[in-house]
Amino acid sequence: MSGNSFGTLYCVTSFGESHGPAYGGVVDGCPPGLDLKNEDLQKELDRRKPGSSRHVTQRRETDTVEILSGIYEGKTTGTAIGFLVRNEDQRSKDYSAIAEKFRPGHADYTYWQKYGIRDPRGGGRASARETVVRVAAGAIAKKWLQQRYGVLIRGYLAQLGPHPIAFKSWDEVGTNPFFSADGSVIKKLEDFMDQLRESGDSCGARVNVIAEKVPVGWGEPVYGRLDADIAGAMMSINAVKGVEIGAGFASIAQKGSEHGDEMTPQGFLSNNNGGVLGGISTGQEVAVSIALKPTSSIRLRRRTIDTQGKATTVQTTGRHDPCVGIRATPIAEAMLACVLMDHALRYRAQCGDVTPPTKVG
Amino acid sequence: MSGNSFGTLYCVTSFGESHGPAYGGVVDGCPPGLDLKNEDLQKELDRRKPGSSRHVTQRRETDTVEILSGIYEGKTTGTAIGFLVRNEDQRSKDYSAIAEKFRPGHADYTYWQKYGIRDPRGGGRASARETVVRVAAGAIAKKWLQQRYGVLIRGYLAQLGPHPIAFKSWDEVGTNPFFSADGSVIKKLEDFMDQLRESGDSCGARVNVIAEKVPVGWGEPVYGRLDADIAGAMMSINAVKGVEIGAGFASIAQKGSEHGDEMTPQGFLSNNNGGVLGGISTGQEVAVSIALKPTSSIRLRRRTIDTQGKATTVQTTGRHDPCVGIRATPIAEAMLACVLMDHALRYRAQCGDVTPPTKVG
Amino acid sequence: MSGNSFGTLYCVTSFGESHGPAYGGVVDGCPPGLDLKNEDLQKELDRRKPGSSRHVTQRRETDTVEILSGIYEGKTTGTAIGFLVRNEDQRSKDYSAIAEKFRPGHADYTYWQKYGIRDPRGGGRASARETVVRVAAGAIAKKWLQQRYGVLIRGYLAQLGPHPIAFKSWDEVGTNPFFSADGSVIKKLEDFMDQLRESGDSCGARVNVIAEKVPVGWGEPVYGRLDADIAGAMMSINAVKGVEIGAGFASIAQKGSEHGDEMTPQGFLSNNNGGVLGGISTGQEVAVSIALKPTSSIRLRRRTIDTQGKATTVQTTGRHDPCVGIRATPIAEAMLACVLMDHALRYRAQCGDVTPPTKVG
Amino acid sequence: MSGNSFGTLYCVTSFGESHGPAYGGVVDGCPPGLDLKNEDLQKELDRRKPGSSRHVTQRRETDTVEILSGIYEGKTTGTAIGFLVRNEDQRSKDYSAIAEKFRPGHADYTYWQKYGIRDPRGGGRASARETVVRVAAGAIAKKWLQQRYGVLIRGYLAQLGPHPIAFKSWDEVGTNPFFSADGSVIKKLEDFMDQLRESGDSCGARVNVIAEKVPVGWGEPVYGRLDADIAGAMMSINAVKGVEIGAGFASIAQKGSEHGDEMTPQGFLSNNNGGVLGGISTGQEVAVSIALKPTSSIRLRRRTIDTQGKATTVQTTGRHDPCVGIRATPIAEAMLACVLMDHALRYRAQCGDVTPPTKVG
């Protein structure tokens, strides 16, 4: 398995660079017979699209997706689904100033040193724009999971820089540019972002993602655990530096009598485990939380070196998200969807003849 | 790739149950010509061995490892390295009382519901005893990484239940039963553990692992990122609920000007990135932190259901670690070693002809 | 690994259908720094292009390839190389008559029964047109292998229906529409094909492929053998029903004293092994031979059933190759190139520090 | 996926050398609930055991297998099945004479040059004794396929050196030391083998394997074709130099009107395709034929070089099969079983909701 693919049975392969002609992906392993149209993918892509508010990058991209294969008369055929998202707004000149320097906190340096060559235009392959492929692949997984098992995958922004955001209602999430589940804090967040942007700096964020109605039994111990694959998938998203399942780091200070979720015939009484025990889904909500670091491309002047190894400074003046976390919600949802779908298929393969013997809930 | 294997080129396969005849593993992909003896593996296995202090499980296991293949005249031949660790102290009767009940917070329930059958003796495949395989496989990786690249991988206990433990010195770690890098807190930790054990409860822990001298360039964007593979590997360890790379969740509240590690011709000025940028190693220390939940097998009575789905209660009276985190340090080191070795080999495959063009440090 | 990808480190993913908008592929794992242009791929695609003589399908396709990623300033960057070949000449009406029937010897029936749905236009995913992806991916592998190791991969038509074709000279292969290495038989082959086409029937073929200058040591025993991967790759080509390495089926009747290739300080004295011993390349020519069955789409009326399971007959009147083997030479070369490149990379990963200890030749 | 593992969902990992302490394997992905005992594996291992007649190697091995994991109360649990076969009769002294020389036609040379080190005792990892792992893994697959789908996998010797052996009856196969389906030729085969052994030479063989009652729909186009995976698996068996599916190389000279298997409502009228069309099983018998080369270890003196690259000669006087093909029947059956089981699971994963729409037979 190469670095640009993931998944064992629901397999996603990605290509494309920020300022190349297009991004594209191949989704392999989707069951046949699923209704699927460009619009199913487009709907999700529009949620992560740039330029949707003043708080995100002003790059102009319609992110129009074209499905190229795997569909016949509106249904998946079981063959590979290829799709393309053409790049439209590529101002390569923006990047000429930084082609010979490494932005602190950016992949500039590591790509250069690893490959001995790099595409500096817009971050090349390291651009967060690659996440269009994830979102498109996730849209297919979401739809199948929803239709086949009723699984519902939703996320929200749980913290913006220093500001934690309470979960109020799923209904709020789609009504503001922050994916905030609390509509009452939008003004505060906007002020914070305006000030941040003005200062030329950036901030981090926390995104929470929840999958409801995941059946019991998905996940393959001991290395192919559901939570292990989720952690890997989440950490593969640009800028992610931490992943928690359920109680996460709060588990450290918990007692066993507090953490271990008790059960009744109606189900679990709590969900510290985050929907996964022993690497296998419990039937509860799968709850994931991720930390995204502040954008590394900022306007403030910073110390760095150039490709000759000489000391210099750098400022980044292109169009960047001051907080990549704001647009990360649909991306994290997509990654969770892909992992769950992969494990749904893996479950059917090995345990297709098993009926969970104990009736709960 | 099935659930009991991990790694693309340095590939580890595991089998065994807590109360079966043996655990075993196969390490495939190790380069030829490495000096390797049973003792190289044994040394690491002894570090995670049960019964080494009163603070861990009192199960009596020598954990003696036998290498069965892949070695000729003391050197690896490049063929698969099979090894075995026989189980010795299996008191199956201890578990008869819980065979028909699910321990809160344990994999009992999910294995049962997934497979329709489970080996209840000592947790069966879900037992943390499986980590002998990881530690043995990690010992080989550690040795090769050290000899070939000078990579040094070490970990320590950074928090025990509510008690954070400062990093003082690597020299302290081997001198106490907690893998604490601060010798001055041992008395406090012992008192805490004695009290915890007496109360019949358990607690969580944080373990930090550091890999020094990792060369720049390891890791395959965009999905096969070094940090993504590390996160997956760490989350696959029993009881782990969270993973951080570098600044981790602290990144959320950081500004970009604070988080982005500045560079000089001598190298980076900080390491918020934790040694990975864009999924590729930077040449700095790779810094990982994990959260382990409290042991789910506790003596306190808890509400649960039985395999018929009826309400009942359960107490676990077998021999269990009151804090699995205490013995987790060598396990986390092993997983980091395996992932790094996998990426060292993957790096050579694709970039074996590249010399990092910019000289730093 | 899903069905539409192959390779461990040089990984090829394919999508597209005969009458969809495009075929495309993703090549992942190519080392950075290789000079690569559209023309490098086009040159090979032109060799397998339809319509190049009256003996192959008259479908009009320029097979123009567009590289979409993975290249910067004319060099590979080490990131995924995506490419696209748009379909141009899609006469879907040709196929309406057979949408409800299964052509004998064709994948119509199995796709239908497996997926419960199929794209009947031009064979859909089962069309041999998919091989454009293989040829494009193989072109990259060929170029890298040639530049890095001097490996030269060439094939020729060794039998056309009942007519064996002797190997005379590589120089002949490019001068006739059959990839025949014997220019003197072209007239005979043309007459045979003209008669065959007129009769509405089709025929099989044998293609031989040779890789010269493959270094000793490529291939991973015991399951990842070089010859095993070659056999799998060749058998995955449409219409292939048999694969031989070296002496192949002739080995059955050989004595050990005849088959076992003797060695001298100058090298091997024969090559019954076909360049592979124990799954590892010997340093000799890697010699592969494949059998391609006759095209299943023929004009002659044949008994079959329809999708309702009722008896009927079918004639295929679309534009088809009367012998798919004629255009198979560049495809077989491409598959061999991909497998060799994959193993070249795998060899570097594990044995990058080894110098073959015995000097030969 | 490393070289010592194969399979996507039914995953087999192998280790061990001819004169090491043991061979062993791990089978991962077996569905839970299958009755499985040591005897199920032993039964198949006994069929390929050495020393069973004077026509095979006289090495004394009971090939006793011990299952170490994955079974609870006589049933598979869905976790990894580890097993071990200890080596018993290791006369390493037999091999001292050839440690510094390369046997013509043997893997001696390639292992040495690839790894820079090799275990010369009994061929080390290249010994055909590794096939115990395949046979054990295949025994599990055979049992599951038989119980779950009624699939029946059987093979026979179809040619011994220059002597083709007709298929008479499956009942004959188990009654003679050659796996011959024609009991009337045993005397002739014995005479041939006696003479061959006396001459110090060896011969090749052809083995045919048939899988009956394979459901329609198994196999993943376009690279993960059922026949492609079969070809790869077969070619990975020691000494195999050719693989055919169905009509195989005879397809070359067939006309399309002859080769393409016509259909009626009762099913196919012939089976030139060998049970696979477009890489997907047709529901007919899956028919595979393989060519095994003559044993390379022969008593006759042959020219070769030593590890210094100097000219010398070599005679092999250890205990070797004069025809490895004789014991290859259970091995080929095992490999076919493993591939079919892998695809059975893959089919369920993707197409678990599909009922083949057209009723046939």
Side-chain angles (χ1 to χ4, degrees):
Chain A
M1 179 70 70
S2 61
N4 293 286
S5 295
F6 77 100
T8 295
L9 294 183
Y10 186 76
C11 192
V12 180
T13 299
S14 161
F15 65 86
E17 284 97 36
S18 176
H19 286 56
Y23 280 95
V26 188
V27 165
D28 198 9
C30 184
L34 177 72
D35 289 310
L36 196 71
K37 287 192 272 309
N38 284 336
E39 296 82 70
D40 292 307
L41 281 59
Q42 197 62 56
K43 190 179 58 183
E44 292 289 334
L45 285 167
D46 288 349
R47 294 177 67 218
R48 63 123 278 168
K49 202 167 60 174
S52 56
S53 83
R54 72 180 183 273
H55 308 298
V56 298
T57 173
Q58 296 306 301
R59 181 170 169 163
R60 301 275 162 219
E61 294 286 356
T62 61
D63 282 356
T64 306
V65 68
E66 180 192 13
I67 298 178
L68 294 172
S69 68
I71 310 288
Y72 181 64
E73 297 186 342
K75 285 187 190 298
T76 58
T77 59
T79 62
I81 303 169
F83 56 85
L84 218 59
V85 177
R86 291 270 171 191
N87 292 322
E88 293 163 357
D89 182 12
Q90 311 143 5
R91 300 195 201 159
S92 294
K93 59 175 155 39
D94 286 347
Y95 297 94
S96 55
I98 58 160
E100 304 296 316
K101 296 173 177 183
F102 308 118
R103 283 165 287 178
H106 201 277
D108 292 343
Y109 174 70
T110 51
Y111 270 71
W112 174 251
Q113 295 283 65
K114 178 185 183 75
Y115 298 114
I117 180 177
R118 80 184 169 98
D119 179 347
R121 301 165 303 161
R125 183 67 179 151
S127 167
R129 192 157 162 64
E130 185 277 331
T131 56
V132 292
V133 178
R134 303 169 188 245
V135 170
I140 304 171
K142 268 185 173 181
K143 187 164 190 186
W144 186 80
L145 286 166
Q146 212 282 322
Q147 292 204 350
R148 181 64 179 75
Y149 294 99
V151 171
L152 186 59
I153 299 169
R154 296 183 292 195
Y156 62 94
L157 192 72
Q159 186 166 343
L160 183 69
H163 303 293
I165 308 170
F167 179 83
K168 292 286 176 62
S169 160
W170 288 116
D171 296 339
E172 303 279 357
V173 177
T175 65
N176 64 75
F178 296 102
F179 297 91
S180 166
D182 178 1
S184 71
V185 297
I186 304 306
K187 180 67 177 67
K188 187 173 75 177
L189 301 181
E190 292 194 316
D191 290 349
F192 171 75
M193 287 306 296
D194 288 342
Q195 206 167 353
L196 184 74
R197 217 164 47 242
E198 204 169 323
S199 73
D201 215 334
S202 62
C203 76
R206 178 193 285 266
V207 169
N208 290 352
V209 198
I210 306 289
E212 295 169 61
K213 300 211 188 291
V214 174
V216 68
W218 294 1
E220 287 194 18
V222 295
Y223 304 129
R225 279 173 153 90
L226 180 61
D227 42 357
D229 282 0
I230 291 172
M234 292 295 167
M235 195 66 92
S236 84
I237 300 173
N238 305 48
V240 171
K241 300 303 285 184
V243 183
E244 295 182 311
I245 309 287
F249 281 88
S251 310
I252 298 171
Q254 288 179 320
K255 291 278 171 65
S257 55
E258 180 188 359
H259 179 91
D261 304 305
E262 292 184 300
M263 296 187 76
T264 72
Q266 286 70 49
F268 289 89
L269 294 174
S270 54
N271 191 12
N272 284 299
N273 68 70
V276 191
L277 284 173
I280 302 168
S281 64
T282 62
Q284 296 173 278
E285 289 182 0
V286 174
V288 186
S289 186
I290 60 175
L292 294 112
K293 70 175 186 180
T295 315
S296 50
S297 298
I298 57 176
R299 241 174 38 235
L300 299 176
R301 183 177 301 276
R302 315 221 60 216
R303 280 174 294 178
T304 190
I305 60 173
D306 62 20
T307 54
Q308 305 303 313
K310 301 223 180 80
T312 182
T313 61
V314 67
Q315 288 175 285
T316 314
T317 52
R319 299 157 301 167
H320 297 283
D321 288 280
C323 174
V324 288
I326 291 177
R327 294 199 289 143
T329 295
I331 303 163
E333 290 172 9
M335 294 308 281
L336 184 55
C338 290
V339 172
L340 285 171
M341 180 152 182
D342 193 42
H343 278 283
L345 299 176
R346 289 161 79 171
Y347 173 82
R348 297 212 299 199
Q350 190 184 16
C351 299
D353 296 325
V354 177
T355 305
T358 302
K359 193 116 210 277
V360 175
Chain B
M1 178 71 67
S2 61
N4 292 284
S5 294
F6 77 101
T8 296
L9 294 182
Y10 186 77
C11 193
V12 180
T13 299
S14 161
F15 65 86
E17 285 97 36
S18 176
H19 285 56
Y23 280 95
V26 188
V27 166
D28 198 9
C30 183
L34 177 71
D35 289 309
L36 196 70
K37 287 191 273 307
N38 284 335
E39 296 82 69
D40 291 308
L41 281 60
Q42 197 62 57
K43 192 179 58 184
E44 292 290 334
L45 286 168
D46 289 348
R47 293 176 66 217
R48 64 123 276 167
K49 202 167 61 173
S52 56
S53 83
R54 70 179 184 274
H55 309 298
V56 297
T57 175
Q58 296 306 299
R59 180 168 170 165
R60 301 276 163 218
E61 294 286 356
T62 61
D63 282 356
T64 306
V65 68
E66 181 191 12
I67 298 178
L68 294 173
S69 68
I71 311 288
Y72 182 63
E73 298 187 338
K75 284 185 190 302
T76 59
T77 60
T79 63
I81 303 169
F83 56 85
L84 218 60
V85 177
R86 292 270 171 190
N87 291 324
E88 293 163 356
D89 182 13
Q90 310 144 4
R91 299 193 202 161
S92 293
K93 60 177 155 39
D94 287 348
Y95 298 94
S96 54
I98 58 160
E100 303 297 316
K101 297 174 176 182
F102 307 118
R103 284 165 288 178
H106 200 278
D108 293 342
Y109 174 71
T110 51
Y111 271 71
W112 174 252
Q113 295 284 65
K114 179 186 182 75
Y115 298 115
I117 180 177
R118 81 184 166 98
D119 179 348
R121 301 165 303 162
R125 183 66 179 151
S127 167
R129 193 157 161 65
E130 185 277 330
T131 55
V132 293
V133 177
R134 303 169 188 245
V135 170
I140 303 171
K142 268 186 173 180
K143 187 165 189 185
W144 186 80
L145 286 166
Q146 212 281 324
Q147 292 204 351
R148 182 64 179 74
Y149 293 99
V151 171
L152 186 58
I153 299 169
R154 294 183 293 194
Y156 61 94
L157 191 73
Q159 186 166 343
L160 182 70
H163 302 294
I165 308 171
F167 179 83
K168 292 287 177 61
S169 160
W170 287 117
D171 296 338
E172 303 279 356
V173 177
T175 65
N176 64 75
F178 297 101
F179 296 91
S180 166
D182 178 0
S184 71
V185 298
I186 304 306
K187 182 67 177 66
K188 188 172 75 179
L189 301 181
E190 292 194 316
D191 290 350
F192 172 74
M193 287 306 297
D194 288 341
Q195 209 168 350
L196 183 74
R197 217 163 48 243
E198 203 169 325
S199 73
D201 215 332
S202 62
C203 76
R206 178 192 284 266
V207 169
N208 290 353
V209 199
I210 306 288
E212 295 169 61
K213 299 210 188 296
V214 174
V216 68
W218 294 1
E220 286 193 20
V222 294
Y223 304 128
R225 278 174 154 89
L226 181 60
D227 42 358
D229 282 1
I230 291 172
M234 292 295 166
M235 196 65 95
S236 83
I237 299 174
N238 306 50
V240 170
K241 301 302 286 184
V243 183
E244 296 182 309
I245 308 286
F249 280 89
S251 311
I252 299 170
Q254 287 178 319
K255 292 277 171 64
S257 56
E258 179 188 0
H259 179 92
D261 305 304
E262 291 183 301
M263 295 187 76
T264 71
Q266 286 70 49
F268 289 89
L269 294 174
S270 54
N271 191 12
N272 284 298
N273 69 70
V276 191
L277 285 173
I280 302 168
S281 64
T282 62
Q284 295 172 277
E285 289 183 1
V286 174
V288 187
S289 187
I290 60 175
L292 294 112
K293 69 175 188 181
T295 315
S296 49
S297 298
I298 57 176
R299 241 171 41 233
L300 298 176
R301 184 176 301 277
R302 316 223 59 216
R303 279 175 294 179
T304 190
I305 60 172
D306 62 20
T307 55
Q308 306 303 313
K310 301 221 180 80
T312 182
T313 61
V314 66
Q315 288 175 284
T316 314
T317 52
R319 298 157 302 168
H320 296 283
D321 289 280
C323 174
V324 288
I326 291 178
R327 294 199 288 143
T329 295
I331 302 164
E333 291 172 8
M335 294 307 281
L336 183 55
C338 289
V339 172
L340 286 171
M341 182 152 179
D342 193 42
H343 278 283
L345 298 176
R346 290 162 77 171
Y347 173 82
R348 295 212 300 199
Q350 190 183 19
C351 298
D353 296 324
V354 177
T355 304
T358 302
K359 194 113 210 276
V360 176
Chain C
M1 180 69 68
S2 61
N4 293 286
S5 294
F6 76 101
T8 297
L9 294 182
Y10 186 76
C11 193
V12 179
T13 298
S14 162
F15 65 87
E17 284 98 35
S18 176
H19 286 56
Y23 279 95
V26 188
V27 166
D28 198 8
C30 184
L34 177 72
D35 289 309
L36 197 71
K37 288 191 273 305
N38 283 337
E39 296 82 68
D40 292 307
L41 281 60
Q42 197 63 55
K43 190 178 58 182
E44 293 289 334
L45 286 168
D46 288 350
R47 293 176 67 217
R48 64 124 275 168
K49 201 166 62 172
S52 55
S53 83
R54 71 180 184 275
H55 309 298
V56 298
T57 174
Q58 295 306 301
R59 181 169 170 164
R60 300 279 163 215
E61 294 285 357
T62 61
D63 282 356
T64 307
V65 68
E66 181 191 12
I67 298 178
L68 295 173
S69 67
I71 310 287
Y72 181 63
E73 298 186 340
K75 284 185 191 299
T76 58
T77 60
T79 63
I81 303 169
F83 56 86
L84 218 61
V85 177
R86 292 269 170 192
N87 292 324
E88 294 162 357
D89 183 11
Q90 310 144 5
R91 300 196 200 158
S92 293
K93 60 178 156 37
D94 286 348
Y95 298 95
S96 54
I98 58 160
E100 303 297 316
K101 296 174 178 183
F102 308 118
R103 284 165 288 178
H106 200 278
D108 293 341
Y109 174 70
T110 52
Y111 270 71
W112 174 253
Q113 294 285 65
K114 178 185 183 76
Y115 298 114
I117 179 177
R118 80 184 167 98
D119 179 348
R121 303 165 302 162
R125 182 68 178 150
S127 167
R129 194 160 159 63
E130 185 278 330
T131 55
V132 292
V133 178
R134 303 168 188 246
V135 169
I140 303 171
K142 268 185 173 182
K143 187 164 189 186
W144 186 79
L145 285 166
Q146 212 283 323
Q147 292 205 350
R148 182 64 179 76
Y149 293 100
V151 171
L152 185 60
I153 298 169
R154 296 183 291 195
Y156 62 95
L157 192 72
Q159 186 166 343
L160 182 69
H163 302 295
I165 307 171
F167 178 83
K168 291 287 177 62
S169 160
W170 287 118
D171 296 337
E172 304 279 357
V173 177
T175 65
N176 63 75
F178 297 102
F179 297 91
S180 166
D182 178 0
S184 71
V185 297
I186 304 306
K187 181 68 178 64
K188 187 173 75 178
L189 301 180
E190 293 194 316
D191 291 348
F192 171 75
M193 288 304 298
D194 288 341
Q195 208 168 350
L196 183 73
R197 216 165 46 244
E198 204 169 322
S199 73
D201 215 334
S202 61
C203 76
R206 178 192 285 267
V207 169
N208 290 353
V209 199
I210 306 288
E212 295 168 61
K213 299 211 189 293
V214 175
V216 69
W218 294 2
E220 287 194 18
V222 296
Y223 304 128
R225 278 174 155 87
L226 180 60
D227 42 358
D229 282 1
I230 291 171
M234 292 296 165
M235 196 66 93
S236 83
I237 299 173
N238 306 49
V240 172
K241 300 303 284 185
V243 183
E244 296 182 308
I245 308 287
F249 280 89
S251 310
I252 299 171
Q254 287 178 319
K255 291 277 171 65
S257 55
E258 179 188 359
H259 179 92
D261 304 305
E262 292 183 300
M263 296 189 75
T264 71
Q266 285 70 47
F268 289 89
L269 294 175
S270 54
N271 191 12
N272 284 297
N273 69 69
V276 190
L277 285 173
I280 303 168
S281 63
T282 62
Q284 294 172 278
E285 289 183 0
V286 173
V288 187
S289 187
I290 60 175
L292 294 112
K293 69 176 188 180
T295 315
S296 49
S297 298
I298 57 176
R299 242 172 40 235
L300 298 176
R301 183 176 301 278
R302 314 222 60 217
R303 281 174 293 178
T304 189
I305 59 173
D306 63 19
T307 56
Q308 305 304 312
K310 301 222 179 80
T312 181
T313 61
V314 68
Q315 286 175 286
T316 313
T317 52
R319 299 157 301 168
H320 295 284
D321 288 280
C323 174
V324 288
I326 291 177
R327 293 199 289 142
T329 295
I331 302 163
E333 290 172 8
M335 294 307 280
L336 183 57
C338 290
V339 172
L340 286 171
M341 181 152 179
D342 193 41
H343 278 284
L345 299 176
R346 290 162 78 172
Y347 173 82
R348 295 212 301 199
Q350 190 184 19
C351 298
D353 296 325
V354 177
T355 305
T358 302
K359 195 115 210 271
V360 175
Chain D
M1 180 70 69
S2 61
N4 292 285
S5 295
F6 76 100
T8 296
L9 294 182
Y10 186 76
C11 192
V12 180
T13 299
S14 161
F15 66 87
E17 284 97 36
S18 175
H19 286 56
Y23 280 95
V26 188
V27 165
D28 199 8
C30 183
L34 176 71
D35 289 309
L36 197 70
K37 288 191 273 305
N38 284 336
E39 296 83 69
D40 292 308
L41 281 61
Q42 197 64 56
K43 190 178 59 184
E44 293 289 334
L45 286 168
D46 288 349
R47 293 176 67 218
R48 65 122 277 169
K49 201 165 62 173
S52 54
S53 82
R54 70 179 184 273
H55 309 299
V56 298
T57 174
Q58 296 307 300
R59 181 170 169 164
R60 301 278 163 214
E61 293 285 357
T62 62
D63 281 357
T64 306
V65 68
E66 181 191 13
I67 297 179
L68 294 172
S69 68
I71 310 287
Y72 182 63
E73 298 186 340
K75 284 186 191 300
T76 59
T77 60
T79 62
I81 302 170
F83 57 85
L84 216 61
V85 177
R86 291 271 171 190
N87 292 323
E88 294 163 357
D89 182 12
Q90 310 143 4
R91 300 194 202 160
S92 293
K93 59 178 152 43
D94 287 347
Y95 297 94
S96 54
I98 58 160
E100 303 296 315
K101 296 174 177 182
F102 307 119
R103 283 166 288 178
H106 200 277
D108 293 341
Y109 174 70
T110 51
Y111 270 71
W112 174 253
Q113 294 285 64
K114 178 184 182 77
Y115 297 115
I117 179 177
R118 82 184 165 99
D119 179 347
R121 301 165 303 161
R125 182 67 177 150
S127 168
R129 194 159 160 63
E130 186 276 329
T131 55
V132 293
V133 177
R134 303 168 187 245
V135 170
I140 303 171
K142 269 185 172 182
K143 188 166 187 184
W144 185 80
L145 286 166
Q146 211 282 324
Q147 292 205 350
R148 182 65 179 75
Y149 294 98
V151 171
L152 185 59
I153 299 168
R154 295 183 292 195
Y156 62 94
L157 192 72
Q159 185 166 343
L160 182 69
H163 303 294
I165 308 171
F167 179 83
K168 292 287 176 60
S169 160
W170 287 117
D171 295 338
E172 303 279 356
V173 177
T175 66
N176 63 75
F178 297 102
F179 297 91
S180 166
D182 178 1
S184 70
V185 298
I186 304 305
K187 181 67 178 64
K188 186 173 78 179
L189 301 181
E190 292 195 316
D191 290 349
F192 172 73
M193 287 306 296
D194 288 342
Q195 208 168 352
L196 184 74
R197 215 164 48 243
E198 203 169 322
S199 74
D201 214 333
S202 62
C203 76
R206 177 193 286 266
V207 169
N208 290 352
V209 198
I210 306 288
E212 295 168 61
K213 299 210 189 293
V214 174
V216 70
W218 294 1
E220 287 193 19
V222 294
Y223 304 129
R225 279 174 153 88
L226 180 60
D227 43 357
D229 282 0
I230 291 172
M234 292 295 167
M235 196 65 95
S236 83
I237 300 174
N238 305 49
V240 171
K241 300 303 287 183
V243 183
E244 296 182 309
I245 309 287
F249 280 88
S251 311
I252 298 170
Q254 288 178 321
K255 291 277 171 65
S257 55
E258 178 189 1
H259 179 92
D261 304 305
E262 291 183 301
M263 296 188 75
T264 72
Q266 286 71 47
F268 290 90
L269 294 174
S270 54
N271 191 13
N272 284 299
N273 68 72
V276 191
L277 285 173
I280 302 169
S281 63
T282 62
Q284 295 172 277
E285 289 184 0
V286 174
V288 186
S289 187
I290 59 175
L292 293 112
K293 69 176 186 180
T295 315
S296 50
S297 298
I298 56 175
R299 243 172 38 234
L300 298 176
R301 184 176 300 277
R302 314 221 61 216
R303 280 174 293 179
T304 189
I305 59 172
D306 62 20
T307 55
Q308 306 303 313
K310 300 222 180 79
T312 181
T313 62
V314 67
Q315 288 174 284
T316 314
T317 52
R319 298 158 300 168
H320 296 283
D321 288 280
C323 174
V324 289
I326 292 178
R327 293 200 288 144
T329 295
I331 302 164
E333 290 172 10
M335 293 308 281
L336 183 55
C338 291
V339 172
L340 285 171
M341 180 152 181
D342 193 43
H343 277 284
L345 299 176
R346 290 161 79 170
Y347 173 82
R348 296 213 298 201
Q350 190 183 17
C351 298
D353 296 324
V354 177
T355 304
T358 302
K359 194 114 209 276
V360 176

